[in-house]
């Protein structure tokens, strides 16, 4: 019995006139740790007795409101401590409980409980029960309780609601954007060496068979200047756009941009300037 209830905190302690008088969900303690019958009050002319009963959160079909935080045994003249109540009684007619020693408990809400009672056990007065705390003695029995800290589940973080503005910052692209990217990158006109070739997406722009054929312009897409693109669209002959170009010969270029470096040579020689 103790092994079954030790993992669940107790929600109540009570007296019952017999094991059968305990309500549903209550477990009567019918024997001591040594195996003797745990019947209180029987003897000295009394034909009937009563047993101690306990119930726990494991026996509750609904969520328990309070749990037992402490158990005490009070003498007849000891006042009831603040926050404590006497245990319940499930008695048959003509059954009475001795008032010389009474058991009281302290109930606290389950949500704020920390140190709680997990089990109650009975034994002979000379017996020592490991891991249990002795509450006191009633009749010929010693009453023990097992206390411990209540393990509470860690609260789960609440899911955050992501608004449309935050969703727009996502790095994930939609299927439509991926499709557009695939179409635009499927083919491109690329210059390799002195030639322009059409490359597919999976093709390499480098020819590893001849490393000396790679230039700094490899992989740069070819495109016309916008000025020539507008002329190309308005004329029927594509080559007519080059009629406006003034093609110069090598001699014309040398004559136009010829420079004798007279000033530089004079300064280097530290001589007065002379005109040849």
């Amino acid at each position: 019995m103790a092994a079954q209830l030790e993992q669940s905190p107790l929600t109540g302690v009570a007296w019952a006139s017999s094991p059968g008088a305990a309500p549903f969900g209550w477990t009567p303690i019918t024997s001591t740790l040594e195996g003797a019958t745990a019947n209180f009050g029987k003897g000295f002319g009394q034909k009937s007795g009563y047993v101690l009963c306990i119930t726990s959160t494991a026996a509750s079909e609904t969520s328990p409101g309070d749990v037992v935080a402490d158990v005490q045994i009070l003498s007849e003249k000891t006042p009831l401590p603040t926050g404590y109540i006497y245990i319940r009684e499930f008695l048959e007619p003509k059954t009475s409980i001795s008032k010389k020693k009474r058991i009281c408990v302290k109930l606290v809400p389950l949500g704020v409980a920390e140190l709680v009672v997990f089990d109650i056990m009975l034994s002979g007065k000379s017996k020592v029960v490991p891991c249990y705390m002795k509450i006191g003695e009633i009749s010929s029995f010693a009453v023990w309780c097992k206390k411990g800290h209540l393990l509470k589940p860690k609260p789960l973080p609440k899911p955050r609601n992501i608004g449309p503005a935050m969703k727009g910052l996502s790095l994930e692209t939609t299927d439509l954007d991926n499709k557009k990217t695939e179409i635009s990158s499927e083919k491109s006109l690329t210059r390799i060496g002195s030639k322009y070739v059409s490359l597919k997406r999976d093709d390499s722009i480098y020819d590893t068979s001849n490393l000396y054929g790679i230039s700094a312009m490899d992989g740069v897409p070819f495109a016309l200047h916008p000025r020539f693109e507008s002329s190309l669209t308005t004329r029927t002959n594509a080559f007519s756009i080059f009629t406006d170009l003034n093609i110069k010969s090598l001699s014309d270029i040398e004559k136009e941009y010829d420079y004798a470096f007279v000033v530089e040579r004079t300064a280097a020689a530290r001589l007065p300037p002379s005109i040849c």
Side-chain angles (χ1 to χ4, degrees):
M1 178 273 304
Q4 294 176 355
L5 298 179
E6 64 179 359
Q7 298 302 324
S8 302
L10 299 185
T11 56
V13 183
W15 291 115
S17 55
S18 65
F24 175 79
W26 289 78
T27 302
I29 305 176
T30 57
S31 61
T32 64
L33 186 62
E34 297 88 349
T37 302
N39 197 331
F40 291 82
K42 192 174 182 179
F44 301 102
Q46 275 189 296
K47 295 182 180 180
S48 62
Y50 42 90
V51 295
L52 197 62
C53 302
I54 57 175
T55 184
S56 68
T57 56
S60 178
E61 296 181 354
T62 59
S63 178
D66 297 330
V67 293
V68 179
D70 189 28
V71 183
Q72 292 187 16
I73 296 178
L74 305 178
S75 62
E76 186 177 8
K77 297 181 180 180
T78 303
L80 185 67
T82 303
Y84 287 76
I85 60 173
Y86 292 114
I87 64 174
R88 303 174 63 180
E89 297 178 357
F90 305 113
L91 304 178
E92 296 175 352
K94 298 182 180 181
T95 302
S96 61
I97 302 295
S98 174
K99 305 300 181 182
K100 291 184 178 181
K101 286 189 177 181
R102 306 182 66 178
I103 300 178
C104 62
V105 295
K106 181 179 181 181
L107 301 177
V108 297
L110 178 61
V112 298
E114 295 183 358
L115 189 64
V116 297
V117 178
F118 288 97
D119 189 26
I120 290 180
M121 186 176 293
L122 303 176
S123 72
K125 293 183 178 181
S126 61
K127 182 72 175 180
V128 176
V129 182
C131 302
Y132 279 69
M133 180 179 68
K134 188 175 182 179
I135 304 172
E137 297 177 355
I138 299 180
S139 298
S140 58
F141 307 109
V143 183
W144 304 80
C145 76
K146 183 177 182 181
K147 282 188 174 183
H149 289 277
L150 183 62
L151 298 179
K152 299 180 180 179
K154 295 182 180 180
L156 298 176
K158 296 181 179 180
R160 295 183 297 175
N161 295 326
I162 302 177
M166 293 298 295
K167 290 182 179 180
L169 299 177
S170 176
L171 298 178
E172 297 180 358
T173 58
T174 60
D175 295 339
L176 182 59
D177 295 337
N178 293 335
K179 188 174 181 180
K180 290 180 180 179
T181 305
E182 291 178 1
I183 294 176
S184 61
S185 62
E186 186 69 28
K187 291 184 179 181
S188 60
L189 191 63
T190 308
R191 182 178 184 271
I192 298 181
S194 60
K195 297 180 180 181
Y196 293 93
V197 296
S198 178
L199 292 180
K200 294 184 178 181
R201 181 178 55 186
D202 298 333
D203 292 343
S204 174
I205 62 173
Y206 298 106
D207 183 10
T208 56
S209 62
N210 186 7
L211 297 178
Y212 294 99
I214 300 175
S215 68
M217 294 298 294
D218 290 343
V220 179
F222 173 79
L224 290 175
H225 191 276
R227 183 181 66 176
F228 298 107
E229 288 183 353
S230 59
S231 301
L232 182 62
T233 56
T234 56
R235 302 186 184 186
T236 56
N237 188 2
F239 293 98
S240 61
I241 61 175
F242 298 105
T243 57
D244 298 335
L245 296 178
N246 184 15
I247 302 176
K248 298 180 181 180
S249 63
L250 180 60
S251 59
D252 295 336
I253 296 174
E254 290 180 348
K255 183 178 180 181
E256 182 176 355
Y257 297 102
D258 180 47
Y259 185 67
F261 296 95
V262 176
V263 177
E264 289 78 5
R265 290 174 181 173
T266 302
R270 298 184 181 273
L271 296 175
S274 61
I275 300 176
C276 298

